[in-house]
Amino acid sequence: MAEPVAEPVTDPASVTVDRALVDRVALLARLRLTDDESTAMTAHLARMLELVDHLAEVDDPAASPYTGPAGATRPLREDEPRPSLPVAEALRNAPGLAGAPEDEGAFRVPAVLE
Amino acid sequence: MADESSAREIARRVREGEVTAASVIDAHLTRATAAQPRLGAFTIIAAEAARARAGELDAALARGEDPGPLAGVPIAVKDNICTRGMVTTAASRILAGFAPPYSATVVERLEAAGAVVIGKTNLDEFGMGSSTENSGLHPARNPWDEARVPGGSSGGSAAAVCVGAAPLALGSDTGGSIRQPASLCGVTGLKPTYGRVSRFGLIAFASSLDQIGPFARDARDAALALDAIAGHDGRDATSADEPVEAHLAALEAAPERLEGMRVGLPREHLDLCRDDGVRAAVEAAVATLRDLGATVREVSLPLTPHGIACYQVISTAEASSNLARYDGVHYGHRAEGTENIVEMMSASRSEGFGAEVKRRIMLGTFVLSSGYYDAYYLRAQRVRSLIRRETLAALDEVDVLVGPTSPVTAFRLGERLTDPLTMYAVDAFTVGANLAGVPAVSAPCGADADGLPIGLQVTARPFREIDALRVVDAFQRATDHHARRPALADGRAPKEGSRG
């Protein structure tokens, strides 16, 4: 099954928030919106971008984008193998396992390939 | 003399054998259960598990063991914090019935200190909201007026502490989700420094902003809880390995007055606050701090009006990534009757997420998408650097910043639900601490004309929670705003004798 690919969008200055844009973003986000939801989302996204556009007024292109708080020690733990979650426990909350053999030890999903 | 119902007084009485943990837990379960139909503060009340745990503590005490500084203290835990075997949903239908295979580090630490989890509290789905109306289960209500919201997203935790269902609760704060409900419910709430408290086991919303912290009735109980949960955790790579002060002991040893404490008043926070009642209460609180010996001066945080826009871009971008994991494969809701995996994922997500969560995923996906990343996400990250710099510069001149927590008191259910931007606006004074990564406390400082609580926000330098707590503690020793209780709590409070 070929997965639909969203059209790339390139020019921020030309952004028009319309149904087509909302539908592309919904596809990327793996959300299926109803007609009503798409309409409401189009209006909402337009208003949010209007709000966010005000950041241009205070933006300093010379500033470094935030990457995390400096000034504190945040050591990584030793890279040593440790026991992980047992398979049975990892599967305990898994959907779609009704009827699967108890010792299968795998998640089940609908067809990935046609 | 500590309030009989404070966490530290409960722990003292349990440790000294004046009361049993079982009787304490029973009394609080009774109160939580009685308030639940009216307030909806809990997603579940874990009566059986709590009673079993109390029994274990009493047995340990009978053997002469000391369960710890939180012995027998009931605690309510926001339902986006994992509790092993106890259903954890983040108030989302997509996680209905999810029983985590592990507990969050904060829960393990509280239990190791003797605390007893009595239930999970209601929230805006995944922490996305400021009223708890976005809960996928049911809204929570404000104990001061049931027609009004308790704030959010940790509205259930704030309401539970407000009515005495538990002296302590845990919340999480991404843009104000501990401080704003604390303000609207008239309790004390602390958002620690980013990295002070482990996020392991917290269901992620926006990982660079999220932080777990306590709700309590006063600064000392908040300090007691912080002492139990703070400190480095190897299971959270953002957790800081910085020394942890004994906050409660420091408060108890501190002088009653605030001589030498330098308080900064960000003029933008008062200027942008249009509610006269809120402004008057904050100004009166500042006068009290001055009377207590603190020096007060005006400071400026000119980027304050841009905080919400910056926060919305960054938090939704991170949310869109964090919430990608809810796809119906490994756990959580899976849509029925789909033909292939992409359809299954899209249908599961569309059925499982509520409207606000979808709005945020959409904005976040958009700002991260090819072509828009630089114009929106990167710009917001630059502005975030400027906000952090501006906040730390103000905190170079003073020890703490003081202002209103929320520009408004508790609003009516439905009032801000139809226009999400009016909901986002109530976070105007709280998002700054998350964007800058600094600690902040909200504490009650008065009431408006309707008797609704008003919150004072006290912000401190990174890892200087103690400065904010000291200011609040001194304020609470000089005033009794924090002791004011809604009629609902009084009416439901069991007689003292029934505990012992």
Side-chain angles (χ1 to χ4, degrees), chain A residues 9 22 25 29-30 32 37 47 56 58-60 63-64 66 70 72-74 77 93-95 107-108 111, chain B residues 99 234 238 240-242 328 330-331 334 341 343 349-350 358 362 370-372 379 381-382 384-386 388 419:
Chain A
V9 282
V22 164
V25 174
R30 293 285 185 271
R32 185 187 289 167
E37 281 178 323
R47 288 184 71 203
V58 292
D59 185 19
D60 174 2
S64 306
Y66 182 86
T73 315
R74 297 172 203 272
R77 65 167 185 255
N93 285 290
F107 295 99
R108 284 193 165 206
Chain B
T238 63
D241 193 9
E242 295 291 316
H330 301 100
Y331 50 84
R334 177 182 292 184
I341 191 160
E343 216 181 275
R349 290 164 62 79
S350 302
K358 288 178 186 171
M362 288 290 289
S370 171
Y372 296 113
R379 167 171 288 160
Q381 290 290 27
R382 281 195 301 271
R384 182 176 184 184
S385 288
L386 301 175
R388 177 170 161 90
D419 182 356

Side-chain angles (χ1 to χ4, degrees), chain B residues 372-419:
Chain B
Y372 296 113
Y373 179 89
D374 288 9
Y376 293 102
Y377 182 72
L378 218 52
R379 167 171 288 160
Q381 290 290 27
R382 281 195 301 271
V383 174
R384 182 176 184 184
S385 288
L386 301 175
I387 289 173
R388 177 170 161 90
R389 191 191 300 167
E390 166 180 298
T391 307
L392 296 180
L395 285 165
D396 262 350
E397 299 172 33
V398 293
D399 299 305
V400 294
L401 303 172
V402 162
T405 305
S406 164
V408 293
T409 53
F411 42 94
R412 292 178 189 284
L413 271 85
E415 194 177 316
R416 289 167 190 265
L417 208 51
T418 46
D419 182 356

Side-chain angles (χ1 to χ4, degrees), chain B residues 93-149:
Chain B
R93 286 165 51 194
I94 211 156
L95 277 174
F98 175 68
Y102 55 83
S103 282
T105 298
V106 287
V107 171
E108 285 183 354
R109 288 184 179 179
L110 287 166
E111 289 182 336
V116 179
V117 176
I118 62 158
K120 305 299 291 288
T121 58
N122 204 357
L123 64 149
D124 289 298
E125 184 177 359
F126 287 106
M128 297 179 185
S130 307
S131 69
T132 316
E133 289 167 287
N134 294 332
S135 167
L137 306 168
H138 50 79
R141 290 166 182 276
N142 192 308
W144 293 89
D145 179 349
E146 291 164 36
R148 294 175 188 270
V149 304

